[in-house]
Amino acid sequence: MLVAAAVCPCPPLLVPEVAVGAAPEMDAVRAACTDALGVLAAARPDLLIVVGPAGPGEGGVFPQGGRGSFKGYGVDLDVRLGAGTQDATAERELPSSLAVGAWLLERTGWADAPVEGVGVEETLTPERCADRGRELGERADRVALLVLGDGSACRTVKAPGYLDERAAPYDAATARALATADLPALLSLDADLARTLKSSGRAPWQILAGAAEGTDLDGTLLYEDAPYGVGYMVATWS
């Protein structure tokens, strides 16, 4: 059963070595993520599952110890998912979102429970996301989720997706749903609109909603803003 969840954004800019000169601008997001992971540790889960968006062909399950890298962003930095020691020659590399998740876990010194990763492709329908969430919620007696994903990337004219007037209402509705653990609201997020607004979080958030069915978790919003025109939200459910 799901006993706790932390929702965090997953831009590589969270990693100071990647952000370089812009690193201080992300300090508030990093601090909120640290607080959110503290809620996961306090829940004392039997299993932590890190769920994040994945590109075409990158989806699936990644075992503890899975390797991720930020070399594609010009930084010689590798991370591992949890404390495992998988053979690096025999494993798939973590998608970018799960690499960020692994970095967050390393940064906070996670050692409280076994960890595995799940990469989710954006083509997964809301119905299938909910089903996948229910499956994950049954993986152990006490399951925690670290759910990674960004809101819209269309909040300003300088945003990656340029300005779209639908972006701010989309992010506001998502933030309200995360703040109140509103499962129907999350499950009602439109996949086509999310794709148009370049929101990578839609599928992971809907997996969270499926995993939380039958629980009585309360939500708390720790951060919501749009630096660089991209909606970033940090929330906890416990």
Side-chain angles (χ1 to χ4, degrees):
M1 174 181 286
L2 184 70
V3 295
V7 177
C8 296
C10 55
L13 286 175
L14 270 182
V15 181
E17 292 88 340
V18 175
V20 193
E25 298 174 26
M26 300 293 286
D27 282 347
V29 189
R30 293 187 195 101
C33 290
T34 298
D35 291 343
L37 265 66
V39 171
L40 296 186
R44 303 181 65 82
D46 301 319
L47 173 66
L48 172 65
I49 304 175
V50 183
V51 181
E58 292 184 338
V61 176
F62 295 81
Q64 179 159 322
R67 179 177 56 85
S69 173
F70 294 96
K71 290 184 174 67
Y73 301 96
V75 175
D76 187 15
L77 176 64
D78 293 332
V79 292
R80 285 198 173 273
L81 188 64
T85 56
Q86 294 287 324
D87 180 358
T89 65
E91 64 184 71
R92 293 188 298 155
E93 187 169 296
L94 299 172
S96 174
S97 67
L98 298 189
V100 171
W103 177 83
L104 286 170
L105 292 174
E106 287 186 2
R107 181 172 183 261
T108 55
W110 180 271
D112 297 270
V115 182
E116 70 178 43
V118 176
V120 188
E121 297 185 23
E122 71 171 358
T123 54
L124 203 65
T125 66
E127 294 78 17
R128 185 67 190 104
C129 287
D131 289 342
R132 187 75 174 107
R134 296 182 192 104
E135 294 166 4
L136 295 180
E138 296 173 355
R139 289 288 313 282
D141 289 340
R142 298 182 63 81
V143 174
L145 295 183
L146 172 55
V147 182
L148 300 159
D150 301 340
S152 71
C154 303
R155 292 279 290 273
T156 68
V157 295
K158 294 184 178 181
Y162 197 66
L163 176 64
D164 190 312
E165 298 296 341
R166 299 170 293 179
Y170 171 89
D171 286 343
T174 301
R176 285 194 299 272
L178 293 173
T180 58
D182 188 335
L183 310 189
L186 288 178
L187 291 172
S188 70
L189 291 174
D190 184 86
D192 291 333
L193 177 59
R195 189 176 301 112
T196 299
L197 297 177
K198 302 183 182 301
S199 170
S200 66
R202 188 274 308 173
W205 298 329
Q206 290 178 331
I207 285 177
L208 167 61
E213 288 184 2
T215 69
D216 190 25
L217 301 180
D218 293 322
T220 301
L221 188 67
L222 303 181
Y223 178 93
E224 194 276 321
D225 204 350
Y228 313 111
V230 182
Y232 296 151
M233 286 154 272
V234 181
T236 59
W237 289 14
S238 61

